[in-house]
Amino acid sequence: MLKTVAVIFGGKSAEHEVSIISGKSIAKNLNRKKFKVTEIFIDKKGGWFKNGKKQKAEEILQNVDIAFPVLHGTYGEDGTIQGLFEMLNIPYVGCGVAQSVLGMDKEFSKIIWKEHSLPVVKFKSIKKPAWQKNKKQALKEVSHLKFPLFVKPANLGSSVGITKVKNKKDLEKAIEIAFRYGYKVIIEESVKDAREIEVSLLGNDDVTSSVCGEIIPANEFYDYDAKYNNPNSKAIIPAKIDKKTSSKIKKTAEDAYKALNLHSLARADFLLSRKTGKFVISEVNTMPGFTPISMFPKLWEATGLPYQKLLTKLIDIAEQNFRQKSLWEI
Ligand SMILES: Nc1ncnc2c1ncn2[C@@H]1O[C@H](COP(=O)(O)OP(=O)(O)O)[C@@H](O)[C@H]1O
Ligand SMILES: [Mg+2]
């Protein structure tokens, strides 16, 4: 009998619309000779729908063999939905709870990478209560960081709430903006004149990396507009970088994946300085975009793994991980 795969998309995050396109594309391309596909939509308020009918999540998931949550950002990529699958004992595509948390948190992931001697920018976080209590003191604690700085909500995506700050007088406002979106703000030194290089990763301890790709944002940095509105942002696959740099980036991507004990899949994003040729790992996305033109599947396609085979492989890994729950320990 065919296994039922539930493709879950939409969701409560700012990436709701992208998730719908990704989810629809996965549902369309899954190999029907191997799988029966159920589409599950989560609306912006968190309601679950199957065939247009609103139902309780646990009812919808009752006869599902494997869940494929194509949800980005908050409630999708941050360990919450993964916890639901764990409670219901359903195999699922993607990282476990703890790995999702670490991948999502821009501070925790960097702390771990730093500990593993992987290259990261200088950073410092501020938590809301400390900021509200004494802004002057909080600003003093980040005063060693050199401008320009990037100020970000520590647990968000899609460049929402991110400001590039060029001088001291604009810092306070940028921090206030980032705090609109969460409890913790991360302040990072910037990689000047950076090229944005991305690598796709697949597997468990046997992780493999794709060729490198490059994003050329249409704006000063890859902000929300450059990501979703401005048609002049470009993706170049493979990235035009020398072999040595490319294999170093690939190796670092694999090491960063292992350092967080990631499983299944991720996309690792790098900032490569045009001036020095040095790079840092900036972040990982444990459920990257999956539209037919998204970097994650495109990079695999360029590495010799076409979209449909990639999906089958992810489901195989999900079943394998379900049998080996100890993998989730960090
Ligand atoms: N430290 C940095 N130095 C240079 N550019 C940065 C830095 N941090 C972020 N950026 C720019 O901001 C964009 C969004 O930041 P990122 O941390 O990737 O957030 P998100 O999770 O929202 O994608 C990056 O793609 C890059 O263009
Ligand atoms: Mg990013």
Side-chain angles (χ1 to χ4, degrees):
M1 220 171 65
L2 298 182
K3 291 204 169 132
T4 302
V5 177
V7 182
I8 308 171
F9 53 84
K12 294 202 272 181
S13 83
E15 286 145 298
H16 179 90
E17 279 77 20
V18 184
S19 165
I20 295 175
I21 305 172
S22 294
K24 291 270 178 200
S25 159
I26 290 174
K28 197 173 132 203
N29 284 287
L30 274 164
N31 188 340
R32 302 297 165 126
K33 287 192 192 124
K34 293 189 173 178
F35 311 111
K36 188 169 168 281
V37 178
T38 304
E39 293 185 25
I40 296 173
F41 171 67
I42 302 180
D43 70 10
K44 284 187 175 168
K45 288 192 190 132
W48 289 52
F49 295 81
K50 186 178 156 186
N51 299 326
K53 201 172 138 236
K54 193 169 173 184
Q55 270 174 280
K56 285 207 174 98
E58 56 271 37
E59 279 166 19
I60 289 190
L61 292 171
Q62 233 163 28
N63 297 313
V64 161
D65 294 311
I66 300 123
F68 198 144
V70 201
L71 300 162
H72 314 302
T74 322
Y75 297 110
E77 213 172 336
D78 62 357
T80 46
I81 198 158
Q82 289 75 13
L84 177 66
F85 300 137
E86 293 290 344
M87 294 300 287
L88 297 175
N89 225 19
I90 300 172
Y92 56 97
V93 173
C95 286
V97 174
Q99 291 77 13
S100 301
V101 172
L102 293 177
M104 186 80 195
D105 190 301
K106 292 185 197 302
E107 184 193 25
F108 289 158
S109 49
K110 284 192 197 67
I111 289 173
I112 294 172
W113 290 331
K114 210 169 135 187
E115 182 65 23
H116 284 250
S117 305
L118 296 171
V120 292
V121 287
K122 281 204 180 115
F123 63 93
K124 185 93 178 79
S125 74
I126 306 176
K127 295 203 179 97
K128 206 176 242 175
W131 178 249
Q132 285 168 338
K133 197 169 156 208
N134 191 341
K135 288 182 191 172
K136 223 171 158 189
Q137 177 61 25
L139 287 170
K140 205 169 144 195
E141 281 167 25
V142 299
S143 62
H144 61 291
L145 298 173
K146 291 192 194 82
F147 290 93
L149 299 172
F150 275 83
V151 178
K152 317 173 181 180
N155 280 281
L156 210 65
S158 287
S159 299
V160 173
I162 299 185
T163 314
K164 182 175 180 180
V165 180
K166 293 179 183 157
N167 52 52
K168 214 171 154 184
K169 88 174 171 18
D170 297 333
L171 183 57
E172 190 173 325
K173 187 162 172 238
I175 295 172
E176 297 280 2
I177 290 171
F179 270 128
R180 282 185 207 153
Y181 301 94
Y183 177 78
K184 187 167 74 170
V185 164
I186 182 166
I187 303 175
E188 301 179 6
E189 283 192 356
S190 72
V191 177
K192 283 173 216 138
D193 222 356
R195 291 174 72 178
E196 313 220 11
I197 308 295
E198 303 190 347
V199 181
S200 294
L201 296 145
L202 199 59
N204 293 329
D205 300 325
D206 57 351
V207 60
T208 51
S209 55
S210 71
V211 295
C212 297
E214 177 169 11
I215 296 279
I216 306 199
N219 298 340
E220 185 184 344
F221 71 94
Y222 203 27
D223 60 9
Y224 187 88
D225 177 69
K227 277 181 185 170
Y228 301 115
N229 302 327
N230 198 322
N232 297 323
S233 293
K234 279 195 207 95
I236 296 174
I237 301 169
K240 293 191 179 104
I241 49 177
D242 62 78
K243 247 197 176 141
K244 204 170 147 204
T245 308
S246 139
S247 50
K248 264 202 221 160
I249 289 179
K250 274 162 64 74
K251 167 82 169 50
T252 307
E254 290 170 15
D255 289 345
Y257 192 88
K258 288 181 193 159
L260 302 185
N261 197 27
L262 301 186
H263 289 90
S264 289
L265 76 160
R267 198 192 70 227
D269 296 350
F270 291 82
L271 296 165
L272 167 67
S273 164
R274 278 193 177 80
K275 215 165 103 192
T276 64
K278 286 192 185 151
F279 62 82
V280 293
I281 175 154
S282 176
E283 60 161 346
V284 283
N285 292 281
T286 52
M287 190 48 75
F290 242 106
T291 72
I293 56 157
S294 293
M295 209 45 155
F296 183 82
K298 279 278 172 203
L299 287 172
W300 279 121
E301 208 176 281
T303 313
L305 186 60
Y307 198 88
Q308 189 173 72
K309 284 207 169 125
L310 171 64
L311 298 179
T312 303
K313 183 149 176 121
L314 284 168
I315 289 168
D316 288 346
I317 296 174
E319 293 192 288
Q320 187 188 327
N321 290 349
F322 186 71
R323 291 191 294 268
Q324 278 178 278
K325 272 289 156 65
S326 58
L327 286 176
W328 298 144
E329 286 171 22
I330 47 173

